[in-house]
Amino acid sequence: MSEKKAFPEHVAIIMDGNGRWAKRRGFPRSAGHLAGAKNISRVVEAAMKAGVKMLTVYAFSTENWKRPEAEVTFLMHLIPRFCNRMLKKMMENGIRLRTIGRANDLPEFARKVLLDTIEATKNNTAFTLNVALSYGGRAEITDAVNAILNDPNRPQGALTEADVAKYLYAPDMPDPDLMIRTSGELRLSNFMLWELSYAELYVTQTHWPDFDAAALQEALDAYAGRNRRFGEVK
Ligand code: IPE
Ligand code: IPE
Ligand code: MG
């Protein structure tokens, strides 16, 4: 864990700024969300070309349920549209789709296509696209604690950090090395509170629908110049 890696294996992205992107163009917020969903495919392609192995994208938070009903409904309908549009590309390029979050909160029409797409791509190994949906960092830790309490085979005695990590949503995925937030806000907004504890942070003013291969490369270059000390003296 202490050696310097110039390259992030796992990149996490808070895909923010769809609304501001739309507003700047005089479009409704939904147009920003549509452009944002389409942009995921472009960034996956760029990440694969750059050698990144996995990408976790924050698509809908546990707090986003508080948005106007019409916006939430539009976002929920983007899930099957995205899955159907991406399936061919994912099969051709060896991309495995996963999700983290409270999938049971999603409407049935969205959950079904999501789970079918996850199943269809489960043996793909070239790249992992992990989409955080109805995801909250505190919800994840709370769900882990409840899973531990309900597990008859849980480790006995005091739990270690590694024990706790086994009950998170994607325990087999390594922690993100780099966390990118688009659109300028300097906060985590309840994203991956456990997993990001030692990630390198990168914030760009670029709104998510405009975040392209060159923007990703800038973030990767910034990462390459970081000195990850993990609390040690080097
Ligand atoms: C991110 O864009 C997408 C979601 C949170 C679903 P926003 O919708 O938050 O866009 P801004 O922040 O209002 O510009
Ligand atoms: C974070 O963006 C959630 C996602 C990108 C899905 P928000 O736009 O919801 O976050 P806040 O409201 O600025 O904290
Ligand atoms: Mg936002």
Side-chain angles (χ1 to χ4, degrees):
M1 181 147 138
S2 62
E3 98 271 27
K4 182 179 169 181
K5 267 205 260 166
F7 205 78
E9 181 184 355
H10 183 185
V11 175
I13 306 183
I14 300 179
M15 307 185 290
D16 198 18
N18 293 348
R20 278 163 280 178
W21 179 92
K23 190 173 180 191
R24 188 186 271 182
R25 286 163 180 75
F27 297 157
R29 292 178 59 82
S30 57
H33 293 316
L34 186 59
K38 288 187 174 156
N39 195 44
I40 295 173
S41 157
R42 176 166 77 162
V43 172
V44 165
E45 204 171 290
M48 279 185 91
K49 276 202 188 118
V52 173
K53 282 286 167 209
M54 48 189 80
L55 195 62
T56 295
V57 292
Y58 201 9
F60 193 87
S61 73
T62 46
E63 288 69 35
N64 289 148
W65 292 110
K66 292 183 285 193
R67 292 190 178 196
E69 198 185 325
E71 180 167 345
V72 170
T73 301
F74 186 87
L75 287 165
M76 290 302 128
H77 280 92
L78 278 180
I79 296 170
R81 280 171 78 174
F82 169 81
C83 289
N84 291 328
R85 224 171 53 89
M86 281 289 283
L87 181 62
K88 186 161 173 271
K89 185 179 191 146
M90 290 193 286
M91 297 314 290
E92 282 171 0
N93 295 288
I95 302 167
R96 177 181 176 194
L97 182 69
R98 300 182 63 161
T99 187
I100 51 172
R102 292 181 167 165
N104 287 338
D105 292 350
L106 304 177
E108 184 56 27
F109 69 84
R111 197 164 58 100
K112 188 181 180 311
V113 181
L114 180 70
L115 297 181
D116 286 351
T117 312
I118 287 169
E119 178 65 22
T121 62
K122 72 175 181 196
N123 294 321
N124 293 346
T125 56
F127 189 85
T128 301
L129 172 61
N130 185 31
V131 184
L133 284 164
S134 196
Y135 176 88
R138 288 188 173 184
E140 178 174 28
I141 293 168
T142 304
D143 287 351
V145 172
N146 283 314
I148 292 166
L149 291 174
N150 293 325
D151 182 357
N153 301 316
R154 69 176 179 270
Q156 294 303 301
L159 298 173
T160 64
E161 288 184 11
D163 290 329
V164 175
K166 279 186 203 127
Y167 291 84
L168 298 173
Y169 292 143
D172 53 319
M173 288 181 75
D175 288 344
D177 303 293
L178 169 66
M179 196 286 285
I180 299 170
R181 182 166 188 148
T182 59
S183 218
E185 307 298 349
L186 299 175
R187 54 177 169 260
L188 285 177
S189 300
N190 203 13
F191 190 42
M192 300 187 99
L193 299 181
W194 179 284
E195 297 88 339
L196 290 176
S197 69
Y198 248 111
E200 294 297 320
L201 308 181
Y202 178 89
V203 176
T204 171
Q205 296 301 321
T206 305
H207 302 312
W208 171 249
D210 288 332
F211 189 86
D212 59 7
L216 176 69
Q217 193 55 54
E218 272 180 44
L220 297 177
D221 289 346
Y223 177 87
R226 302 284 177 89
N227 186 4
R228 302 189 79 185
R229 285 187 290 277
F230 297 102
E232 296 172 35
V233 176
K234 294 281 164 67

